[in-house]
């Protein structure tokens, strides 16, 4: 599989509200099922590009560092016990978010897609082979803004595990080779604006660094 797996990605599937610390901070109940949303493939950028653009319609956008899971072969209606057999590898991802838009849309029951799907809203790293990452269920996810640490947690604190996310999503749609599942972001997400420098990583395995610029 090419390191530039995203060139043939057909779906980006995101999981919202998927870290235990977020539930503690918001005093919210655990969701009965994963909270799933979609991002268009036109939102993908790689580390070959160095700029995340803030659309004119947003005053600021939120950073959300995440572990991404890359599907290796077609699967449908798989069980959690089977799910990891369909993983090709992993990546570091940012789920950039127009949070003001989503905070307005959410109480009205409106879709999130415009707040999640703008150009440059899904930066991704190279493909990380499973053996290089180690245990995907216990990897550090961190993010810095202007060299200040903002997010720092481990995937051991996911509410729904990788295998549960794959199994749940595959009940509703076929997952295909190079589809990307974003597993959720730790507590600490917040806004970035023109001129900020955003850096994130999965432990010491892979890092990404982007400049934030107005459109």
């Amino acid at each position: 599989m090419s390191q530039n797996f995203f060139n043939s990605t057909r779906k980006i599937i995101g999981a919202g509200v998927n870290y235990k610390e977020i539930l503690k901070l918001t005093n919210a109940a655990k969701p009965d099922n994963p909270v799933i949303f979609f991002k268009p493939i036109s939102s993908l950028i790689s580390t070959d590009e160095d700029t995340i653009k803030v659309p004119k319609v947003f005053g600021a956008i939120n950073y959300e560092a995440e572990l991404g899971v890359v599907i290796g072969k077609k699967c449908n209606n798989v069980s959690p016990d089977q799910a990891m057999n369909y993983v090709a590898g992993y990546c570091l991802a940012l789920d950039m978010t127009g949070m003001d838009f989503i905070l307005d849309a959410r109480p009205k029951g409106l879709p999130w897609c415009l707040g999640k799907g703008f150009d440059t809203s899904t930066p991704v790293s190279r493909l990380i082979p499973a053996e290089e990452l180690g245990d995907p269920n216990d990897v550090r996810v961190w993010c810095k803004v202007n060299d200040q640490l903002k997010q720092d947690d481990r995937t051991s604190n996911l509410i729904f595990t990788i295998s549960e996310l794959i199994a749940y999503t595959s009940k509703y749609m076929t997952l295909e080779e190079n589809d990307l599942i974003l597993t959720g972001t730790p507590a600490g997400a917040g806004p970035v604006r023109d001129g900020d420098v955003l850096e994130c990583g999965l432990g010491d395995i892979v890092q990404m660094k982007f400049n934030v610029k107005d459109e």
Side-chain angles (χ1 to χ4, degrees), residues 177-199:
E177 183 178 0
N178 291 328
D179 281 354
L180 175 61
I181 297 178
L182 306 180
T183 57
T185 197
V192 285
R193 296 176 172 83
D194 182 69
D196 287 340
V197 177
L198 187 57
E199 186 176 5

Side-chain angles (χ1 to χ4, degrees), residues 52-129:
I52 296 171
K53 296 179 181 178
V54 182
K56 294 176 182 178
V57 291
F58 301 138
I61 52 177
N62 275 27
Y63 55 85
E64 298 185 12
E66 314 201 2
L67 172 68
V69 179
V70 182
I71 299 298
K73 55 185 177 180
K74 186 178 291 188
C75 64
N76 178 262
N77 203 30
V78 299
S79 70
D81 290 343
Q82 298 170 328
M84 299 306 287
N85 295 327
Y86 295 89
V87 174
Y90 304 89
C91 70
L92 171 62
L94 281 163
D95 173 23
M96 304 303 296
T97 302
M99 202 64 203
D100 288 346
F101 181 94
I102 288 179
L103 290 174
D104 180 65
R106 186 183 290 158
K108 299 175 182 177
L110 298 175
W112 297 4
C113 57
L114 297 181
K116 289 285 190 179
F118 55 90
D119 292 349
T120 76
S121 67
T122 317
V124 293
S125 73
R126 63 177 175 86
L127 179 71
I128 305 167

